[in-house]
Amino acid sequence: MLHNSNFGTIEKSIVLLLNGINEKSSSSCNIEKKMIEINDEIKIVPYDSKYKENFKTLSVEWISQYFKMEEEDIKVLENPEENILNKGGYIIFALLNGEVVGTCALLKSEEPEKYCYELAKMSVTPKAKGKQIGFLLGQSLINKAKQELNAKKLFLETNSVLIPAIKLYEKLGFKSIPLHNSVYSRCDTMMELIL
C-alpha cells in the first residue's frame, strides 16, 4: 500500500533531472549527465510497508558507521508510519536494478513558524555510492516540498566530520546556519534551504 498519494511531482522531477531539463549550475549539469547514463538502473519510489525494514537497515548501517544509535533514531526507525508518515512526512527509496539502495525522508517540522520540513534519514548503501543517488533522493524531496507542499524553508542536521554529505547538501542548495536545539547529540551542524 502506498502512503504517498502525491508522488506524481516526484516522478516528474526525476524525469526532469534525468533528462537535464532543470536549469542548474554547470557542476549540477554534470551530475544530471551522469544520471542520464544510469537512468535505466535507478528508480525512485514512495514508501510502501514492504520497504519498512529497508528504511531501518539503511539508516542503522549509515549511523553505526560513524556514530552510535540514539533514542530518537530507534523511535523513528522502529515505526516510521507513526513517527513520520502519519505526522505529514514522506519517505522515498532509490531502487538500483530493483534493489533498495537508498532512502531519505521529509519530517514535518515541530517548529512550523521556523521551518516546514526537515530533510532527514538520508542514507545510501556503500555498494551504490558514486551513482549520485543521494543527490537524486534529496532533489526529489526538495521538489516535492516546494511544488506540492508549498514549503518555504527546509532544514537538516548533520555532523561536521561528514564532509562528503555536507558537500552534497551544498549542491542541493543548503547553507550552514547556527545550530539550535537538536534531539541528537551527534549533530553539530545545521543547514537550511530557502525554497
Side-chain angles (χ1 to χ4, degrees), residues 27-84:
S27 76
S28 292
C29 288
N30 290 336
I31 291 169
E32 289 171 3
K33 287 177 187 171
K34 279 187 174 180
M35 289 180 182
I36 291 168
E37 293 169 12
I38 57 175
N39 186 14
D40 293 336
E41 301 174 38
I42 299 172
K43 184 175 182 184
I44 301 297
V45 298
Y47 183 87
D48 186 296
S49 58
K50 70 183 177 184
Y51 299 131
K52 179 180 178 180
E53 195 58 34
N54 297 101
F55 182 67
K56 180 180 176 182
T57 301
L58 284 165
S59 296
V60 169
E61 177 183 47
W62 178 86
I63 294 166
S64 300
Q65 183 178 355
Y66 300 99
F67 310 102
K68 67 176 187 145
M69 293 290 292
E70 298 184 37
E71 186 177 321
E72 187 67 16
D73 292 313
I74 295 164
K75 180 179 109 177
V76 170
L77 297 174
E78 287 294 327
N79 196 343
E81 292 97 343
E82 180 181 326
N83 294 299
I84 299 175

Side-chain angles (χ1 to χ4, degrees), residues 162-175:
L162 302 173
I163 294 169
I166 291 171
K167 289 189 181 305
L168 168 63
Y169 302 141
E170 289 171 345
K171 282 182 186 176
L172 288 167
F174 284 86
K175 309 270 186 233

Side-chain angles (χ1 to χ4, degrees), residues 90-107:
Y90 298 88
I91 302 171
I92 60 174
F93 296 89
L95 304 180
L96 179 61
N97 297 321
E99 179 185 350
V100 176
V101 293
T103 189
C104 193
L106 275 179
L107 283 65

